[in-house]
Amino acid sequence: MGRRILHIDFNGFFASVECFYHPEIRALPVAVTGDPEKRHGIVLAKNQLAKKYGVRTGEAIWEAKEKCPKLVCVPPHYDQYVRFSNLGRALYHEYSDLIEPFGLDENWVDVTGRTRDFSEAIDLADEIRERVHAEIGITVSVGIADNKIFAKLGSDLKKPDAVSAILPENFREVAWRLPAEDLLMVGPATKRRLDQYGIRTIGDLAKTDPAFLQAQFGKAGLTLHRFANGLDDSPVMPYGYESPVKSIGNGITAPRDLINDSDVRLTVLMLSESVSRRLREHGFRANVVTLSVRDCGLFSFTRQKHLRAPTFLTDDLADAAMGLFSENYDWQRPIRSLTVSASELWPIDRPIQLNLFGEEEHRKRLETAERAIDGIRSRFGYHAVLRGRLLTDRTIGVMNPREEHVSHPVGYRK
């Protein structure tokens, strides 16, 4: 019978949460936006009414208001989104232990062990959808398939508050007629290249010779061919899964998509600060920094760099990670999650080669300062001391990545 996997997606998540807390705006077009006085005056999320006016995530507030003059703009409240995200996962956990997050608002749930066939899975999906609305207060759309790729595709078919199935017997009729860009990993740049070859639907992609796709897109071409044919056997990971520790690292799914280098630099700094503190807590310096990136199309990559000398300083880790990003990503799609890790660990008391050009005194002062910040945070909490740079975008910068994170434990590409 195969697997039965749900993809459960909160509808217009940030905007839905804001409307939950502010019922007076529920019947109006609503957008969650950054600070219009700063560079982040963009639309972070919108509700269905705003979507009908053509309001798009990532566009400037002034552009959105040109389309929808009565658009209600509200600031983001990340702590509330985390709370609703956790409420949803707690409810899903009543049905399965296999729950894998994709951001705050989306989750794959494997209900194979709870159901005997797809008919039961559809009934179960309807039950979950109704319970979310009744008990949590916002709506979800649910996709059902025998793999994660088509389950996610299904959750986008009908919105809001709906259940859609893409089954082994109907996926050609349902999925293959959809535009190729609806498939995970097909972003704007890939779409343009596919258009050049007359590949405009998922069905076109599925029927294309995989050798041709590999010649044009490399390994990603073979992955696209498999996805278009529903050939994805990646598992849904257990609820609360954490991979075995091989290094000290921290990953986070950002509260909004990261759209430029400044967003990434801020997130990398926040993560590097968390990693550096944990290095000190465990008595290590690191020789290698690793950066893992996942974008909105589920494309991911991991790169690493050897440092000039072992370190636990935040700026050393952040500079190395940002360098890896700049060298390896060309902004085909916004970034959804980042992970910064430190490896090849040296005990702090192990001798290291000193720098011959007079930097050691400055580095000692930095180490003393970072240890002093550790002490303050241990007594008074993470937010007792924050770097000024992190305050330039409170949506991203003031998160505590050790406590407010949702990482993706398994990637589609290695």
Side-chain angles (χ1 to χ4, degrees):
M1 180 59 69
R3 298 186 297 168
R4 291 169 292 283
I5 295 173
L6 312 182
H7 183 268
I8 308 175
D9 184 4
F10 279 113
N11 300 135
F13 184 45
F14 289 6
S16 293
V17 173
E18 296 299 335
C19 289
F20 176 87
Y21 283 104
H22 302 283
E24 70 276 10
I25 64 173
R26 290 179 187 173
L28 303 173
V30 175
V32 180
T33 63
D35 187 344
E37 301 300 322
K38 300 179 181 178
R39 69 172 184 85
H40 292 297
I42 63 172
V43 174
L44 307 177
K46 73 278 184 188
N47 67 358
Q48 288 293 320
L49 288 172
K51 187 175 181 180
K52 289 180 180 179
Y53 283 91
V55 174
R56 295 181 295 106
T57 300
E59 70 181 350
I61 295 174
W62 67 267
E63 292 177 304
K65 287 194 169 183
E66 279 192 345
K67 301 174 182 176
C68 181
K70 295 184 179 180
L71 184 69
V72 177
C73 297
V74 297
H77 298 90
Y78 183 68
D79 57 336
Q80 295 173 358
Y81 310 147
V82 171
R83 174 176 176 268
F84 273 75
S85 179
N86 290 335
L87 288 172
R89 291 190 186 116
L91 191 153
Y92 311 151
H93 194 221
E94 297 180 27
Y95 297 89
S96 176
D97 291 331
L98 301 177
I99 302 171
E100 182 179 337
F102 183 49
L104 286 176
D105 54 337
E106 303 178 39
N107 294 269
W108 284 287
V109 183
D110 190 328
V111 296
T112 306
R114 181 72 180 259
T115 58
R116 291 176 294 182
D117 53 34
F118 278 108
S119 177
E120 287 191 3
I122 293 171
D123 290 341
L124 191 66
D126 261 321
E127 179 181 324
I128 293 173
R129 177 186 59 80
E130 292 171 358
R131 284 192 61 192
V132 170
H133 194 185
E135 299 175 25
I136 299 179
I138 59 178
T139 64
V140 294
S141 291
V142 186
I144 306 169
D146 64 354
N147 65 83
K148 291 161 66 175
I149 300 302
F150 279 176
K152 177 166 173 54
L153 191 65
S155 69
D156 290 329
L157 289 179
K158 296 178 184 177
K159 290 180 180 290
D161 201 19
V163 172
S164 304
I166 300 179
L167 308 178
E169 59 267 24
N170 76 355
F171 76 89
R172 292 175 179 84
E173 292 76 20
V174 177
W176 280 13
R177 62 180 176 81
L178 299 173
E181 61 264 32
D182 286 357
L183 194 68
L184 285 174
M185 284 184 61
V186 180
T190 302
K191 176 187 180 302
R192 288 193 294 271
R193 292 184 63 189
L194 291 174
D195 283 345
Q196 293 175 359
Y197 305 119
I199 303 172
R200 293 183 171 82
T201 68
I202 294 176
D204 293 339
L205 188 56
K207 298 171 188 175
T208 300
D209 184 350
F212 174 80
L213 292 173
Q214 184 177 24
Q216 304 306 318
F217 299 97
K219 182 179 177 182
L222 297 178
T223 303
L224 289 172
H225 187 264
R226 287 180 56 81
F227 282 4
N229 283 282
L231 301 175
D232 167 44
D233 57 3
S234 60
V236 177
M237 302 307 295
Y239 184 68
Y241 171 85
E242 294 184 5
S243 58
V245 176
K246 297 181 180 179
S247 62
I248 293 177
N250 210 152
I252 195 165
T253 298
R256 62 171 175 81
D257 291 341
L258 309 179
I259 61 173
N260 54 38
D261 283 354
S262 295
D263 286 349
V264 173
R265 187 174 292 107
L266 196 65
T267 307
V268 163
L269 176 62
M270 175 184 59
L271 293 172
S272 298
E273 189 177 62
S274 173
V275 173
S276 68
R277 180 180 177 185
R278 292 170 63 194
L279 283 169
R280 292 187 293 273
E281 288 175 350
H282 292 283
F284 289 114
R285 303 178 196 270
N287 275 297
V288 173
V289 169
T290 301
L291 177 72
S292 296
V293 177
R294 185 188 293 264
D295 69 19
C296 291
L298 266 188
F299 170 77
S300 63
F301 70 86
T302 298
R303 299 289 186 272
Q304 63 179 211
K305 179 178 183 178
H306 276 79
L307 300 170
R308 179 180 59 80
T311 184
F312 56 60
L313 291 176
T314 297
D315 285 342
D316 289 344
L317 305 182
D319 289 347
M322 195 63 207
L324 290 168
F325 180 84
S326 299
E327 293 165 7
N328 291 282
Y329 197 70
D330 59 4
W331 284 111
Q332 290 191 26
R333 288 174 288 270
I335 299 299
R336 178 161 288 201
S337 66
L338 294 171
T339 299
V340 175
S341 301
S343 58
E344 287 194 18
L345 307 181
W346 287 44
I348 282 179
D349 57 1
R350 180 176 176 179
I352 60 174
Q353 176 66 52
L354 298 179
N355 187 285
L356 299 179
F357 298 98
E359 297 178 2
E360 293 307 322
E361 185 176 350
H362 176 63
R363 294 179 64 81
K364 289 295 184 184
R365 288 198 297 268
L366 291 176
E367 290 181 359
T368 300
E370 295 208 7
R371 282 189 164 117
I373 292 172
D374 293 345
I376 293 171
R377 286 177 169 170
S378 295
R379 293 185 61 190
F380 302 108
Y382 174 80
H383 293 94
V385 181
L386 291 173
R387 291 173 181 256
R389 279 181 289 175
L390 297 179
L391 297 174
T392 59
D393 185 336
R394 291 179 178 270
T395 305
I396 300 173
V398 300
M399 289 187 295
N400 179 356
R402 296 184 65 176
E403 299 175 5
E404 302 171 354
H405 73 285
V406 180
S407 295
H408 306 299
V410 172
Y412 283 94
R413 301 186 65 199
K414 302 298 183 185

mmCIF file of all heavy atoms in Angstrom, residues 310-326:
data_model
loop_
_atom_site.group_PDB
_atom_site.id
_atom_site.type_symbol
_atom_site.label_atom_id
_atom_site.label_comp_id
_atom_site.label_asym_id
_atom_site.label_seq_id
_atom_site.Cartn_x
_atom_site.Cartn_y
_atom_site.Cartn_z
ATOM 1 N N PRO A 310 42.810 28.092 15.754
ATOM 2 C CA PRO A 310 41.642 27.715 16.546
ATOM 3 C C PRO A 310 41.057 28.916 17.286
ATOM 4 O O PRO A 310 41.805 29.763 17.797
ATOM 5 C CB PRO A 310 42.211 26.679 17.526
ATOM 6 C CG PRO A 310 43.448 26.160 16.876
ATOM 7 C CD PRO A 310 44.012 27.319 16.117
ATOM 8 N N THR A 311 39.736 29.005 17.356
ATOM 9 C CA THR A 311 39.099 30.181 17.943
ATOM 10 C C THR A 311 37.747 29.834 18.536
ATOM 11 O O THR A 311 37.123 28.846 18.143
ATOM 12 C CB THR A 311 38.913 31.281 16.881
ATOM 13 O OG1 THR A 311 38.375 32.457 17.495
ATOM 14 C CG2 THR A 311 37.970 30.824 15.786
ATOM 15 N N PHE A 312 37.285 30.675 19.485
ATOM 16 C CA PHE A 312 35.892 30.631 19.910
ATOM 17 C C PHE A 312 35.268 32.023 19.821
ATOM 18 O O PHE A 312 34.217 32.276 20.412
ATOM 19 C CB PHE A 312 35.731 30.054 21.325
ATOM 20 C CG PHE A 312 36.512 30.759 22.405
ATOM 21 C CD1 PHE A 312 36.311 32.097 22.690
ATOM 22 C CD2 PHE A 312 37.445 30.056 23.160
ATOM 23 C CE1 PHE A 312 37.019 32.735 23.698
ATOM 24 C CE2 PHE A 312 38.152 30.685 24.186
ATOM 25 C CZ PHE A 312 37.938 32.032 24.442
ATOM 26 N N LEU A 313 35.885 32.925 19.084
ATOM 27 C CA LEU A 313 35.379 34.285 18.961
ATOM 28 C C LEU A 313 34.252 34.364 17.931
ATOM 29 O O LEU A 313 34.354 33.812 16.829
ATOM 30 C CB LEU A 313 36.492 35.246 18.559
ATOM 31 C CG LEU A 313 37.568 35.499 19.626
ATOM 32 C CD1 LEU A 313 38.662 36.396 19.071
ATOM 33 C CD2 LEU A 313 36.953 36.117 20.876
ATOM 34 N N THR A 314 33.206 35.083 18.274
ATOM 35 C CA THR A 314 32.031 35.195 17.411
ATOM 36 C C THR A 314 32.379 35.720 16.031
ATOM 37 O O THR A 314 31.961 35.155 15.008
ATOM 38 C CB THR A 314 30.989 36.116 18.076
ATOM 39 O OG1 THR A 314 30.556 35.536 19.301
ATOM 40 C CG2 THR A 314 29.794 36.332 17.155
ATOM 41 N N ASP A 315 33.130 36.813 15.980
ATOM 42 C CA ASP A 315 33.418 37.430 14.680
ATOM 43 C C ASP A 315 34.237 36.521 13.775
ATOM 44 O O ASP A 315 34.075 36.541 12.554
ATOM 45 C CB ASP A 315 34.125 38.769 14.870
ATOM 46 C CG ASP A 315 33.184 39.866 15.339
ATOM 47 O OD1 ASP A 315 31.949 39.684 15.198
ATOM 48 O OD2 ASP A 315 33.657 40.897 15.846
ATOM 49 N N ASP A 316 35.137 35.716 14.359
ATOM 50 C CA ASP A 316 35.909 34.776 13.547
ATOM 51 C C ASP A 316 34.980 33.777 12.859
ATOM 52 O O ASP A 316 35.114 33.499 11.659
ATOM 53 C CB ASP A 316 36.912 34.016 14.417
ATOM 54 C CG ASP A 316 38.056 34.890 14.897
ATOM 55 O OD1 ASP A 316 38.245 35.987 14.327
ATOM 56 O OD2 ASP A 316 38.753 34.482 15.846
ATOM 57 N N LEU A 317 34.043 33.232 13.625
ATOM 58 C CA LEU A 317 33.113 32.257 13.061
ATOM 59 C C LEU A 317 32.195 32.908 12.037
ATOM 60 O O LEU A 317 31.955 32.363 10.953
ATOM 61 C CB LEU A 317 32.273 31.620 14.180
ATOM 62 C CG LEU A 317 33.027 30.966 15.344
ATOM 63 C CD1 LEU A 317 32.040 30.351 16.331
ATOM 64 C CD2 LEU A 317 33.993 29.902 14.828
ATOM 65 N N ALA A 318 31.671 34.091 12.371
ATOM 66 C CA ALA A 318 30.720 34.775 11.485
ATOM 67 C C ALA A 318 31.388 35.183 10.169
ATOM 68 O O ALA A 318 30.793 35.041 9.087
ATOM 69 C CB ALA A 318 30.132 35.987 12.184
ATOM 70 N N ASP A 319 32.613 35.706 10.241
ATOM 71 C CA ASP A 319 33.303 36.125 9.018
ATOM 72 C C ASP A 319 33.552 34.930 8.093
ATOM 73 O O ASP A 319 33.383 35.026 6.870
ATOM 74 C CB ASP A 319 34.625 36.800 9.366
ATOM 75 C CG ASP A 319 34.434 38.168 10.013
ATOM 76 O OD1 ASP A 319 33.307 38.695 9.961
ATOM 77 O OD2 ASP A 319 35.416 38.689 10.585
ATOM 78 N N ALA A 320 33.945 33.806 8.679
ATOM 79 C CA ALA A 320 34.195 32.611 7.863
ATOM 80 C C ALA A 320 32.906 32.102 7.229
ATOM 81 O O ALA A 320 32.870 31.758 6.044
ATOM 82 C CB ALA A 320 34.835 31.520 8.722
ATOM 83 N N ALA A 321 31.821 32.064 8.022
ATOM 84 C CA ALA A 321 30.546 31.571 7.503
ATOM 85 C C ALA A 321 30.001 32.478 6.414
ATOM 86 O O ALA A 321 29.492 32.007 5.381
ATOM 87 C CB ALA A 321 29.535 31.441 8.647
ATOM 88 N N MET A 322 30.119 33.787 6.607
ATOM 89 C CA MET A 322 29.607 34.721 5.601
ATOM 90 C C MET A 322 30.427 34.630 4.324
ATOM 91 O O MET A 322 29.893 34.748 3.212
ATOM 92 C CB MET A 322 29.622 36.141 6.156
ATOM 93 C CG MET A 322 28.795 37.113 5.344
ATOM 94 S SD MET A 322 27.048 36.667 5.339
ATOM 95 C CE MET A 322 26.529 37.379 3.764
ATOM 96 N N GLY A 323 31.726 34.403 4.466
ATOM 97 C CA GLY A 323 32.556 34.212 3.286
ATOM 98 C C GLY A 323 32.125 32.990 2.485
ATOM 99 O O GLY A 323 32.059 33.029 1.252
ATOM 100 N N LEU A 324 31.799 31.909 3.188
ATOM 101 C CA LEU A 324 31.318 30.694 2.519
ATOM 102 C C LEU A 324 30.017 30.964 1.782
ATOM 103 O O LEU A 324 29.807 30.478 0.664
ATOM 104 C CB LEU A 324 31.133 29.571 3.538
ATOM 105 C CG LEU A 324 32.408 28.984 4.135
ATOM 106 C CD1 LEU A 324 32.082 28.091 5.327
ATOM 107 C CD2 LEU A 324 33.157 28.188 3.076
ATOM 108 N N PHE A 325 29.132 31.735 2.410
ATOM 109 C CA PHE A 325 27.858 32.046 1.750
ATOM 110 C C PHE A 325 28.086 32.855 0.474
ATOM 111 O O PHE A 325 27.545 32.530 -0.586
ATOM 112 C CB PHE A 325 26.943 32.813 2.702
ATOM 113 C CG PHE A 325 25.614 33.171 2.092
ATOM 114 C CD1 PHE A 325 24.579 32.246 2.088
ATOM 115 C CD2 PHE A 325 25.409 34.409 1.507
ATOM 116 C CE1 PHE A 325 23.357 32.546 1.496
ATOM 117 C CE2 PHE A 325 24.195 34.723 0.916
ATOM 118 C CZ PHE A 325 23.166 33.790 0.923
ATOM 119 N N SER A 326 28.874 33.897 0.577
ATOM 120 C CA SER A 326 29.097 34.779 -0.571
ATOM 121 C C SER A 326 29.736 34.036 -1.737
ATOM 122 O O SER A 326 29.453 34.329 -2.904
ATOM 123 C CB SER A 326 29.986 35.961 -0.159
ATOM 124 O OG SER A 326 29.362 36.723 0.859
#
